[in-house]
């Protein structure tokens, strides 16, 4: 494992094609978080500081970070497609890596990317936490501590999907097109033809649901809703019945990761390099 | 018999309608410099790609070092197939670091191979700044990394200038003198003739001929004759019945002699019959001519 990662690192340390999107990704995330702190929400009973107080803070950071997972997916695709365009997968096999090792080299690399994302999310959460929390809200940090781990699964899942596409298509431009085409158009359109209890199992749906938007918003609208229709008892529960619980969603996502990786491995095993 | 390095048995490969290899069998032994010859598209690269594991054959088997297929054998083989494949944005040094890591060779060996191929001064230049010949030299450096016992070289002289070709030939000869087994595929016959001990000739994926180079060569001794009356001489030689084959070429006549007769005999015979020869010489038919003859059949 160490050897495969060392090989991958030699490839990326002096590669501007990696550092530019990587820095772009980290900067955009930090910038968006910063902008987020500057927005003041003018809804009575809701102050924007709520987003940055535990337990909601974990929601805010992971949800924001999830926007930029696509950049991680693109970086992964760049690395895989490069191996085809430089014919270096071929050279690696000639030099003595097995096809399984080629596969694991990339999987480890994606693991590292997801881990860096995880670290960035945790670090920015803790730093923001210092500014917005008090003795009362700090203990709530543990309430949603599972969220950065779920974010890790999400980032990895996007990259596993990206890997599968890159191995199928081999060409970087077409891969990115295929990825976005599927993510933005194909699945959302096809999904609409299915009933709710099936469409929630579609891969992109499952994966993007891993980092729900901060629910302070939902809570407050519900609260307002019940107060406006005064006197009436409003039953809120059934509305959310088609949503999977987060742990269930995570399990399905892990299942998808396994599926994407298996397909990737199978392609790599049999493809002419 | 020396140790068998590579054994190929009935390997076939199709690309769509084209049969790239038809039941090819070869056996290569330790210490041989083995040339694989053939025109473009005869299956040379396909053969080497299959034994290096980058494409799967449709049928047939191959084994390295008298062993079953397993990936460790590659550490004992240095290989250059078709084109130099490196990361364009990495320096020569870094590119070879990757190769060294894959093969489990200490980085210190990189300087040695770069010196051997004359690239040492350019080790910190990016690969994409290299000319075709330098890229080829770097690929050769990669193949020599770790001092492997077997070299597999596909068109090693590709893109090189005359000096580069001579250098490569020198390197191959040096490596062969050290007892290495070398497998070279090429369509440049001169190259093979000068360095190889054994050769196999392929055409459209079929093995036409295989053996020691000097045996492939020596079978055909030809004699070139010329006199002031070439057309009479030609008729005489045809009637004399000492030659298998008589052909008129630009400046004289080329004959394939039948076995017991040699050039001295032919000279005497011609003189006795009133032909003054102004030139007589024996010629070894070059590999190239034989090759063209075989391939064009």
């Amino acid at each position: 494992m160490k050897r495969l990662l060392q090989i991958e690192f030699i490839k990326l340390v002096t590669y501007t094609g990696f550092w530019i999107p990587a820095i772009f990704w980290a900067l955009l995330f930090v910038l968006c978080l910063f902008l987020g702190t500057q927005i003041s929400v003018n809804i009575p009973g809701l102050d924007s500081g709520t987003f940055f107080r535990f337990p909601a803070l974990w929601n805010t950071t992971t949800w924001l970070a999830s926007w930029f997972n696509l950049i991680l997916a693109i970086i992964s695709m760049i690395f895989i497609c490069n191996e085809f365009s430089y014919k270096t997968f071929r050279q690696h096999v000639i030099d003595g890596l097995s096809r399984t090792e080629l596969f694991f080299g990339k999987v480890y690399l994606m693991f590292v990317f997801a881990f860096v994302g995880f670290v960035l999310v945790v670090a920015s959460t803790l730093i923001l936490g210092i500014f917005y929390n008090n003795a009362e809200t700090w203990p709530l940090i543990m309430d949603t501590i599972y969220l950065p781990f779920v974010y890790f699964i999400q980032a990895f899942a996007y990259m596993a999907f990206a890997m599968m596409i890159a191995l199928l298509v081999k060409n970087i431009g077409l891969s990115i097109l295929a990825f976005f085409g599927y993510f933005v158009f194909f699945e959302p359109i096809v999904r609409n033809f299915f009933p709710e209890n099936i469409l929630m199992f579609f891969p992109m749906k499952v994966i993007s649901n891993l980092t729900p938007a901060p629910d302070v918003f939902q809570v407050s609208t519900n609260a307002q809703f019940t107060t406006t229709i005064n006197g009436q008892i409003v039953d809120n529960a059934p509305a959310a019945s088609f949503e999977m619980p987060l742990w269930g969603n995570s399990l399905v996502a892990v299942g998808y990761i396994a599926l994407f990786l298996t397909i990737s491995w199978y392609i790599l095993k049999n493809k002419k390099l | 018999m020396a140790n068998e390095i590579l054994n190929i048995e009935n390997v076939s490969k199709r690309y769509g309608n084209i049969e790239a290899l038809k039941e090819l069998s070869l056996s290569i032994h330790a210490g041989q410099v083995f040339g694989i010859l053939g025109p473009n598209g005869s299956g040379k690269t396909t053969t080497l790609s299959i034994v290096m594991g980058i494409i799967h054959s449709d049928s047939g088997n191959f084994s390295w070092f008298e062993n079953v297929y397993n990936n460790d054998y590659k550490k004992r083989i240095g290989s250059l197939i078709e084109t130099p494949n490196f990361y364009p944005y990495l320096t020569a040094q870094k590119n070879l670091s990757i190769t060294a890591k894959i093969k489990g060779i200490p980085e210190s060996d990189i300087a040695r191979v770069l010196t051997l191929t004359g690239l040492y001064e350019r080790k910190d230049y990016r690969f994409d700044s290299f000319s075709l010949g330098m890229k080829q030299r770097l690929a050769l450096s990669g193949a020599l990394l770790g001092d492997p016992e077997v070299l597999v070289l596909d068109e090693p002289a590709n893109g090189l200038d005359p000096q580069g070709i001579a250098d490569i030939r020198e390197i191959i000869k040096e490596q062969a003198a050290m007892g290495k087994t070398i497998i070279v595929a090429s369509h440049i016959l001169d190259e093979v003739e000068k360095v190889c001990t054994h050769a196999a000739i392929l055409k459209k994926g079929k093995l036409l001929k295989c053996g020691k180079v000097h045996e492939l060569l020596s079978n055909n001794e030809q004699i070139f004759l010329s006199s002031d009356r070439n057309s009479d001489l030609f008729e005489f030689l045809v009637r004399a019945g000492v030659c298998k084959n008589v052909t008129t070429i630009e400046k004289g006549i080329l004959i394939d002699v039948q076995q017991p007769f040699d050039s001295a005999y032919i000279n005497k015979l011609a003189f006795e019959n009133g032909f003054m020869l102004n030139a007589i010489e024996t010629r070894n038919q070059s590999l190239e001519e034989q090759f063209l003859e075989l391939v064009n059949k």
Side-chain angles (χ1 to χ4, degrees), chain B residues 52-119:
Chain B
M52 292 312 293
I54 42 183
I55 46 181
H56 300 300
S57 61
D58 296 337
S59 63
N61 296 305
F62 68 89
S63 65
W64 283 97
F65 307 112
E66 299 173 325
N67 226 323
V68 280
Y69 186 96
N70 103 42
N71 219 50
D72 280 343
Y73 71 85
K74 300 235 179 90
K75 299 204 163 101
R76 298 162 68 182
I77 306 170
S79 172
L80 186 177
I81 294 196
E82 220 168 13
T83 47
N85 303 321
F86 291 105
Y87 296 91
Y89 56 85
L90 293 180
T91 63
Q93 171 88 29
K94 288 268 175 236
N95 267 308
L96 289 187
S97 297
I98 292 178
T99 315
K101 278 260 156 22
I102 292 175
K103 295 197 164 212
I105 293 160
E107 301 249 330
S108 53
D109 198 43
I110 294 173
R112 181 186 69 88
V113 293
L114 284 177
T115 315
L116 208 59
T117 51
L119 274 183

Side-chain angles (χ1 to χ4, degrees), chain A residues 3 6-7 10-16 79 82-83 86-99 101 106 269-273, chain B residues 15 45 49 52-56 71 74-75 77 79-90 94 97-99 101-104 107 142:
Chain A
R3 169 168 152 260
Q6 278 175 335
I7 294 171
I10 298 174
K11 295 176 195 170
L12 67 77
V13 276
T14 55
Y15 186 37
T16 43
F79 270 99
N82 272 354
E83 305 282 8
Y86 303 150
K87 290 190 173 175
T88 36
F89 262 164
R90 184 189 166 95
Q91 190 62 39
H92 288 353
V93 170
I94 292 172
D95 289 339
L97 284 187
S98 67
R99 286 164 186 253
E101 285 174 307
K106 293 296 173 234
K269 200 80 184 164
N270 294 291
K271 200 152 199 150
K272 176 179 183 272
L273 297 173
Chain B
Y15 296 118
T45 300
S49 300
M52 292 312 293
I54 42 183
I55 46 181
H56 300 300
N71 219 50
K74 300 235 179 90
K75 299 204 163 101
I77 306 170
S79 172
L80 186 177
I81 294 196
E82 220 168 13
T83 47
N85 303 321
F86 291 105
Y87 296 91
Y89 56 85
L90 293 180
K94 288 268 175 236
S97 297
I98 292 178
T99 315
K101 278 260 156 22
I102 292 175
K103 295 197 164 212
E107 301 249 330

Side-chain angles (χ1 to χ4, degrees), chain A residues 213-232:
Chain A
D215 75 340
V216 269
F217 208 65
Q218 210 182 339
V219 167
S220 64
T221 44
N222 283 345
Q224 275 188 320
F225 192 60
T226 41
T227 46
T228 34
I229 315 170
N230 45 358
Q232 297 224 14

